[in-house]
Amino acid sequence: MSITILLVLIIVVALFFDFTNGFHDTANAMATSIATGALTPKVAVALAGILNLVGAFLSVAVAKTVAGGIVELDVFDLSNPIDSERLLLVVFAGLGGGIMWNLFTWLFGIPSSSSHALFGGLIGAAIAAIGFDGVVWVGVLNKIIIPALAAPFVAGLVALIGTWLVYRITNHSEKEHRDRYFRWGQIGSASLVALAHGTSDAQKTMGVIFLAMVAAGQFDSDHPMPFWIQLACALAIAIGTYSGGFRVIRTLGKGLVEIHPPQGMAAETSSAAIILTSSHLGMALSTTHVATGSIMGSGLTGPKGEVRWSVAGRMALAWITTLPVAAFVSFVIWWIGNGAASAGSDLVWGGVAIALIIALGGGYMFYRASKAPVHKDNVNEDWDEDGGALGTSADSADKKVYGEPADFVDTSAGLAGATATRTAVNNKHRK
């Protein structure tokens, strides 16, 4: 009975992770199209949601990598209820670490990898439960670490070459006329990225639920992926995508590069090609790394080489810390859950403790985000070259106007207040 209750909790929390993945990664497909005006914000997120839903059914190769390529299943005797419970708690704690990092980076508008947050969570929980032997390190290296290092550079190079060719070919075209056609092209290329995202990221949650089902003894690791898991994960990521995720969209669309339609189309086409190829090969690639690398590559060959390196530096720091921080958080969560299960002499208490951590931590971050909303009406506000974005702390008028992605969503003041503060500061300087 305890295993069944915990399994249900894990499936619900896994689908919530899928939801956060959707709104966190909407920017990967639609940020440039929104920034250039090719699509309105609401149309963009609706289109991305539909295509994520469709893409989730196109392949299960990545799901199999997640289900069997991270946690070492051979160290568990799944015929033994104690080992089954341990594996379920590993999966649950791993989801907790992934969700906490997803929401934290979303709150501060930082494009980070939902995939690596999940992988880091599973790795940390496995180490807590079993030790370093609980992780398939060869699979982590070959399917996660190496692709993570290579993807941004490959995507950036492809986008750089593509953008250079676009400007070279259209060099004598009238700018407004050229950009109008490229905006139409962006609709197609952005749609392709959204479809590719569904084939990649929705499968990662499928793999987690599949792993939990194996742990609960519902079927073995060679069982085909059930349709209901595919459908549930597809719907969860599609709903999350439709919800917007405008914080991250703003950073990628306005903060990293002042994107123009030719650059946007080149970046999106590069991203889609790489994501679809990696999904076919079963590599659990970060769509965030790919999309960001493509945008940077297109920015380097744009009209002014307009990459904002301070923003890029913040993002790179988030990339480097995602795996270890998510692993550390899930490590701690596992110990809390395991302690609660031991104290209550029932695994269910461990699951309840982990669920409470996720609910309280997630609720607090949603609350903080509500204090400085980023939405369809302000997502395309100009990114100030000197001060950065529009966000500022309430008491910073006489000190400093902040501009990095984290500062943009300082939750102590809303955007309206931030705009008024900036105006006051500018007037003061003029005097």
Side-chain angles (χ1 to χ4, degrees):
M1 186 65 179
S2 296
I3 288 180
T4 302
I5 294 173
L6 189 60
L7 179 61
V8 171
L9 282 173
I10 287 173
I11 292 172
V12 171
V13 171
L15 294 176
F16 178 65
F17 171 83
D18 212 21
F19 174 83
T20 68
N21 191 340
F23 72 69
H24 196 287
D25 288 3
T26 309
N28 299 339
M30 294 299 171
T32 57
S33 295
I34 292 172
T36 62
L39 291 167
T40 63
K42 291 304 291 182
V43 170
V45 296
L47 180 61
I50 293 169
L51 291 169
N52 267 278
L53 177 66
V54 174
F57 292 98
L58 298 183
S59 171
V60 293
V62 174
K64 292 293 186 181
T65 296
V66 175
I70 298 174
V71 178
E72 184 61 75
L73 297 179
D74 291 341
V75 303
F76 294 93
D77 179 7
L78 298 181
S79 62
N80 183 341
I82 295 177
D83 267 18
S84 294
E85 291 177 357
R86 277 205 306 161
L87 181 54
L88 283 171
L89 209 60
V90 165
V91 175
F92 207 169
L95 284 168
I99 288 171
M100 289 299 99
W101 182 254
N102 255 7
L103 293 179
F104 178 80
T105 50
W106 163 77
L107 173 64
F108 292 112
I110 302 173
S112 70
S113 172
S114 299
S115 307
H116 288 182
L118 175 60
F119 301 151
L122 290 173
I123 290 169
I127 292 172
I130 308 156
F132 286 92
D133 290 339
V135 179
V136 184
W137 293 110
V138 173
V140 170
L141 179 65
N142 293 337
K143 296 288 188 176
I144 299 173
I145 302 297
I146 292 176
L149 295 174
F153 295 101
V154 174
L157 180 61
V158 173
L160 185 149
I161 294 171
T163 304
W164 181 83
L165 286 172
V166 163
Y167 279 110
R168 182 79 172 178
I169 293 169
T170 62
N171 188 42
H172 299 294
S173 302
E174 194 272 323
K175 180 179 181 298
E176 291 300 321
H177 183 73
R178 178 201 66 196
D179 285 357
R180 182 167 64 251
Y181 283 104
F182 273 106
R183 286 190 185 96
W184 281 103
Q186 275 193 275
I187 297 174
S189 57
S191 298
L192 194 57
V193 176
L195 185 70
H197 184 265
T199 68
S200 177
D201 280 42
Q203 291 185 54
K204 291 157 190 171
T205 307
M206 293 180 204
V208 170
I209 295 176
F210 187 92
L211 180 59
M213 296 293 286
V214 171
Q218 298 300 308
F219 39 70
D220 59 38
S221 58
D222 296 325
H223 194 280
M225 182 65 67
F227 176 76
W228 70 265
I229 294 180
Q230 285 185 277
L231 178 62
C233 292
L235 288 172
I237 200 168
I239 294 169
T241 301
Y242 179 70
S243 71
F246 291 112
R247 280 178 144 71
V248 184
I249 287 174
R250 175 164 175 78
T251 301
L252 270 184
K254 301 297 290 186
L256 182 61
V257 172
E258 282 294 336
I259 204 84
H260 303 284
Q263 296 165 281
M265 186 174 173
E268 290 159 358
T269 304
S270 168
S271 297
I274 292 170
I275 295 167
L276 286 170
T277 301
S278 69
S279 296
H280 177 71
L281 297 174
M283 290 189 295
L285 202 64
S286 166
T287 55
T288 301
H289 291 184
V290 173
T292 306
S294 295
I295 291 171
M296 289 180 65
S298 68
L300 288 172
T301 44
K304 299 177 183 177
E306 298 162 322
V307 175
R308 293 189 180 93
W309 293 107
S310 60
V311 177
R314 283 284 185 96
M315 291 165 53
L317 180 62
W319 291 0
I320 293 168
T321 55
T322 293
L323 268 171
V325 171
F328 175 76
V329 171
S330 65
F331 186 96
V332 173
I333 289 175
W334 186 89
W335 277 107
I336 295 173
N338 188 58
S342 299
S345 301
D346 195 324
L347 184 70
V348 171
W349 290 111
V352 170
I354 293 174
L356 280 174
I357 292 170
I358 295 170
L360 292 173
Y364 176 75
M365 282 185 270
F366 276 115
Y367 167 75
R368 295 287 290 177
S370 71
K371 297 298 183 179
V374 182
H375 46 72
K376 64 183 179 66
D377 296 322
N378 59 29
V379 69
N380 268 346
E381 292 289 331
D382 287 341
W383 191 282
D384 189 287
E385 291 291 348
D386 298 317
L390 292 175
T392 180
S393 59
D395 62 351
S396 64
D398 294 323
K399 299 176 184 177
K400 173 185 175 184
V401 178
Y402 295 92
E404 298 300 333
D407 303 316
F408 168 61
V409 293
D410 186 340
T411 50
S412 59
L415 286 173
T419 305
T421 303
R422 181 178 296 282
T423 302
V425 173
N426 290 339
N427 290 337
K428 181 178 178 180
H429 283 270
R430 289 191 189 98
K431 293 176 182 178

